[in-house]
Amino acid sequence: MPNEETLFIEFRGVCTHFHCDVLPGIPHRVVIPDGNSKRGGLLALTDEAAEDWIPYELEPHRTIIKMEGRTFTYPGLVNENELFTRSALRIENAVGCPIDYDPTFECVVPSLTEYVDNFTYATSVVMEGRASAYFDFHSGVKFSAYKIKQEIRVKAEVQTYGKPRLRITAFSAGDPRGRTQCFELPGDNQKNPLVIANEGSPAAYRQNNGKYDFILHYLTERGGIPRFLKKPLPGMPCSMDGGTPDEQGYHASDLGAGCSDSRYP
């Protein structure tokens, strides 16, 4: 008989967690916004003078699925760890109790409502596939979070029946081959987690340390990226958000606070 195992997953970069049953029928969905295009614009703080606009530029972001010692490739879905088709991800053999949250999840991960008034998620992005990817969880998982330097990451510990199986399925139903693939993964992998990342190129990070990347989380908002903020976003030059290295982190990081996960509500 297969034994129960634990799969450790780490979310990095612009991964937005819709949790606590805020979405109908989906207890926890990680939305990876479509950040493939270069973007730019202006932001302003609501308590500043009208002429004090903050210009920003955002480099393209890629959706990466990786694990040391493994290469994720399947025609039509993922090529050398880069997801290039809008897809749904899940651990298909997760078992166990309902979803649990360590206190660090809400204490450490910033909420999208902290920075803008009247946040309302965009149904087309969050529910109807206008995102790079979804990663859904229904049971058998515990979420926690930590800082590594200034970057905030979310960890998921998933209980599975037998070896963990990651299933990737394209959103499009028009392909007669039904583009879907299942990857068997090693369990009990705390020192070598499955990494789901939404990140820019290393060159872009060297240039600006991702200081405006947190803006991409607001692609999930019904009105899109906001023009006015209640306070500076994590990583912005005028932000006072700090952070110290966390020795419980899996890997060293030189990314800024803007390259962090977020949550709603």
Side-chain angles (χ1 to χ4, degrees):
M1 294 290 291
N3 296 320
E4 287 192 9
E5 300 199 27
T6 302
L7 175 70
F8 291 85
I9 306 173
E10 182 176 279
F11 292 94
R12 302 182 190 172
V14 186
C15 300
T16 311
H17 297 255
F18 289 82
H19 63 104
C20 294
D21 297 291
V22 70
L23 302 179
I26 306 169
H28 190 115
R29 167 168 284 181
V30 185
V31 177
I32 299 181
D34 183 355
N36 288 323
S37 300
K38 186 170 183 176
R39 290 177 169 84
L42 296 171
L43 292 172
L45 300 176
T46 53
D47 60 352
E48 299 290 340
E51 65 272 13
D52 291 335
W53 290 95
I54 304 168
Y56 67 85
E57 289 189 357
L58 304 174
E59 296 299 321
H61 279 53
R62 305 174 302 150
T63 302
I64 304 296
I65 304 169
K66 59 186 177 181
M67 177 182 255
E68 290 183 15
R70 297 292 304 269
T71 299
F72 294 92
T73 294
Y74 186 76
L77 284 177
V78 58
N79 184 55
E80 295 184 350
N81 302 333
E82 182 175 351
L83 188 71
F84 56 85
T85 297
R86 299 174 186 266
S87 299
L89 288 73
R90 64 185 177 93
I91 304 303
E92 68 172 16
N93 59 334
V95 296
C97 299
I99 292 177
D100 188 23
Y101 294 92
D102 185 85
T104 56
F105 181 78
E106 291 198 1
C107 291
V108 175
V109 182
S111 169
L112 296 179
T113 60
E114 293 180 36
Y115 306 97
V116 299
D117 289 317
N118 304 317
F119 178 91
T120 302
Y121 68 79
T123 301
S124 61
V125 176
V126 176
M127 298 291 292
E128 298 175 353
R130 294 193 64 185
S132 288
Y134 300 151
F135 204 132
D136 287 350
F137 297 90
H138 290 85
S139 63
V141 58
K142 182 175 183 177
F143 289 96
S144 60
Y146 69 99
K147 281 187 175 181
I148 183 163
K149 294 188 178 178
Q150 294 187 13
E151 180 194 359
I152 295 169
R153 299 177 181 176
V154 170
K155 296 188 293 185
E157 300 177 32
V158 186
Q159 304 302 311
T160 64
Y161 182 66
K163 291 291 183 184
R165 297 193 299 272
L166 170 66
R167 180 167 293 281
I168 305 175
T169 304
F171 288 154
S172 174
D175 190 331
R177 294 167 297 184
R179 288 176 294 177
T180 185
Q181 176 64 7
C182 188
F183 297 91
E184 186 173 277
L185 306 174
D188 301 323
N189 61 322
Q190 186 168 7
K191 294 184 178 180
N192 183 24
L194 171 67
V195 174
I196 309 297
N198 188 19
E199 56 191 21
S201 69
Y205 285 132
R206 285 194 296 270
Q207 180 178 354
N208 64 20
N209 204 31
K211 57 190 176 185
Y212 294 109
D213 285 4
F214 198 87
I215 296 171
L216 289 172
H217 286 288
Y218 288 94
L219 293 175
T220 64
E221 212 276 337
R222 186 171 61 186
I225 293 175
R227 298 291 299 276
F228 299 97
L229 304 172
K230 294 192 292 186
K231 62 180 182 177
L233 298 172
M236 284 177 57
C238 47
S239 171
M240 299 303 293
D241 287 352
T244 56
D246 189 326
E247 295 189 0
Q248 296 180 1
Y250 293 127
H251 304 287
S253 171
D254 59 358
L255 304 182
C259 310
S260 296
D261 284 22
S262 73
R263 63 180 175 86
Y264 176 79

